[in-house]
C-alpha cells in the first residue's frame, strides 16, 4: 500500500526553467493538496483540489499551476522557476476537505533553483 | 486572521523523560485539531485528530489534550525514545470551509 507517492524526490533547476512535480495516491481520496515548506516555517498551501477536475488557489499560488485530470493524480507545475521557489514540496490527500479529515502526506520533493 | 502558535520552538530532553508541547490557536469556527509528527526529510504523519467534544486522545505514548474554551492543546510524550526526535506540527481546521492552519512546529531532540 503505497499511500501518496511524489516524483521526483530531488530536483535542481536553473532560473527560468519549467518542470512538473507529480503526485499519485492510491487511497481513493477525493481531496488533494500541494504545500511548500521553508526552513523554520509551517507548511503553506499552494493549491488544492476538492475533487477530480477542480482546483483552487491556496495561500501562495503565484508562479505555480496545477492539474487534476484523474482522481489519483495531482500535478504541480512551475512555469518559470525562480530562486524563491527553492523549497521542499509536499503533496497530500484526504477523503474530504470540508470535514478536515486526516491528510496523508507524501515524502516530499526537495527543489533547488539556482 | 487565523493563527496557530506552538511552543516551545525547540526542546531537548533526555531519553526516558516526559515532555509537553503546546499549541494555541485563534481559528474560528473550530472543526478539529490534529497533531503530526515529521521526521527529518520525511512527510508529516498523523498522530491524533481531536474534535470539539474530545478533551483527551491517546496514541501509544502520545497523549493530546484539547481545551476548546481557551483554544489550547497540548501533546504529552511519555517515556521519550530516541525515535521521538522530530518536528511536531499542530494543525487546526476551520469548520465549513475546511481550511487548515499549520503551526510552525516544535523541534524535539531526544538525547541518550
Amino acid at each position: 500500500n503505497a499511500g501518496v507517492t511524489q516524483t521526483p524526490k530531488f530536483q535542481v533547476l536553473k532560473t527560468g526553467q519549467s518542470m512538473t512535480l507529480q503526485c499519485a495516491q492510491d487511497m481513493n481520496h477525493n481531496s488533494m493538496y500541494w504545500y511548500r515548506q521553508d526552513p523554520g516555517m509551517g507548511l503553506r498551501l499552494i493549491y488544492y483540489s476538492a475533487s477530480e477536475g477542480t482546483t483552487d488557489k491556496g495561500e501562495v499560488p503565484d508562479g505555480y499551476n496545477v492539474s487534476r485530470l484523474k482522481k489519483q493524480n495531482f500535478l504541480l507545475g512551475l512555469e518559470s522557476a525562480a530562486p524563491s521557489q527553492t523549497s521542499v514540496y509536499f503533496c497530500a490527500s484526504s477523503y474530504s476537505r470540508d470535514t478536515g479529515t486526516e491528510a496523508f502526506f507524501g515524502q516530499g520533493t526537495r527543489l533547488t533553483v539556482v | 486572521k487565523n493563527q496557530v502558535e506552538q511552543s516551545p520552538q525547540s526542546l531537548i530532553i533526555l531519553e526516558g523523560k516526559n515532555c509537553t508541547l503546546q499549541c494555541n490557536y485563534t481559528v474560528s469556527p473550530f472543526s478539529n485539531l490534529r497533531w503530526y509528527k515529521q521526521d527529518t526529510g520525511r512527510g508529516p504523519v498523523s498522530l491524533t485528530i481531536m474534535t470539539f467534544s474530545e478533551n483527551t486522545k491517546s496514541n501509544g505514548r502520545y497523549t493530546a489534550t484539547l481545551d476548546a474554551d481557551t483554544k489550547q492543546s497540548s501533546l504529552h510524550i511519555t517515556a521519550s525514545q530516541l525515535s521521538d526526535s522530530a518536528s511536531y506540527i499542530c494543525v487546526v481546521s476551520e469548520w465549513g470551509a475546511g481550511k487548515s492552519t499549520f503551526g510552525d512546529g516544535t523541534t524535539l531532540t531526544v538525547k541518550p
Side-chain angles (χ1 to χ4, degrees):
Chain A
N1 191 355
V4 178
T5 303
Q6 292 182 231
T7 54
K9 289 185 170 55
F10 300 93
Q11 183 70 49
V12 178
L13 287 179
K14 292 183 178 179
T15 297
Q17 286 185 317
S18 63
M19 79 161 294
T20 299
L21 278 63
Q22 305 200 17
C23 177
Q25 53 95 2
D26 61 2
M27 296 171 282
N28 201 33
H29 284 165
N30 295 310
S31 298
M32 297 186 74
Y33 318 79
W34 276 107
Y35 295 92
R36 62 177 288 172
Q37 186 176 40
D38 300 304
M41 298 182 67
L43 283 88
R44 291 184 291 170
L45 183 65
I46 304 171
Y47 271 94
Y48 70 94
S49 169
S51 61
E52 177 183 341
T54 68
T55 62
D56 287 285
K57 295 179 180 180
E59 297 175 65
V60 288
D62 294 342
Y64 305 96
N65 58 73
V66 290
S67 66
R68 181 105 182 264
L69 299 179
K70 294 182 179 180
K71 186 175 185 178
Q72 63 268 33
N73 299 121
F74 195 27
L75 307 181
L76 177 70
L78 280 72
E79 300 156 343
S80 177
S84 60
Q85 293 178 305
T86 294
S87 187
V88 181
Y89 292 84
F90 287 99
C91 176
S93 72
S94 66
Y95 178 73
S96 170
R97 184 170 197 260
D98 286 343
T99 58
T101 52
E102 178 182 1
F104 293 82
F105 287 80
Q107 300 283 44
T109 295
R110 187 173 296 275
L111 175 68
T112 302
V113 183
V114 298
Chain B
K1 178 182 178 183
N2 289 334
Q3 289 185 313
V4 175
E5 294 184 354
Q6 293 188 242
S7 62
Q9 188 174 29
S10 62
L11 181 63
I12 300 174
I13 62 174
L14 293 176
E15 186 178 13
K17 297 296 186 182
N18 303 334
C19 68
T20 300
L21 314 181
Q22 299 289 344
C23 174
N24 296 338
Y25 62 92
T26 62
V27 175
S28 181
F30 175 84
S31 174
N32 63 67
L33 184 146
R34 290 162 280 167
W35 283 95
Y36 285 88
K37 178 187 179 188
Q38 184 177 21
D39 292 317
T40 301
R42 314 274 289 190
V45 175
S46 179
L47 292 174
T48 64
I49 303 175
M50 301 183 73
T51 59
F52 184 87
S53 59
E54 296 175 302
N55 300 119
T56 304
K57 185 170 272 191
S58 293
N59 179 358
R61 294 179 296 102
Y62 300 101
T63 300
T65 64
L66 174 65
D67 185 335
D69 291 332
T70 61
K71 298 187 176 180
Q72 296 179 326
S73 176
S74 64
L75 181 68
H76 186 73
I77 304 174
T78 303
S80 61
Q81 301 176 358
L82 298 178
S83 59
D84 291 331
S85 294
S87 177
Y88 291 84
I89 302 169
C90 176
V91 185
V92 184
S93 292
E94 184 179 335
W95 182 262
K99 182 180 177 181
S100 296
T101 302
F102 286 73
D104 290 344
T106 292
T107 300
L108 174 66
T109 302
V110 180
K111 293 194 170 183

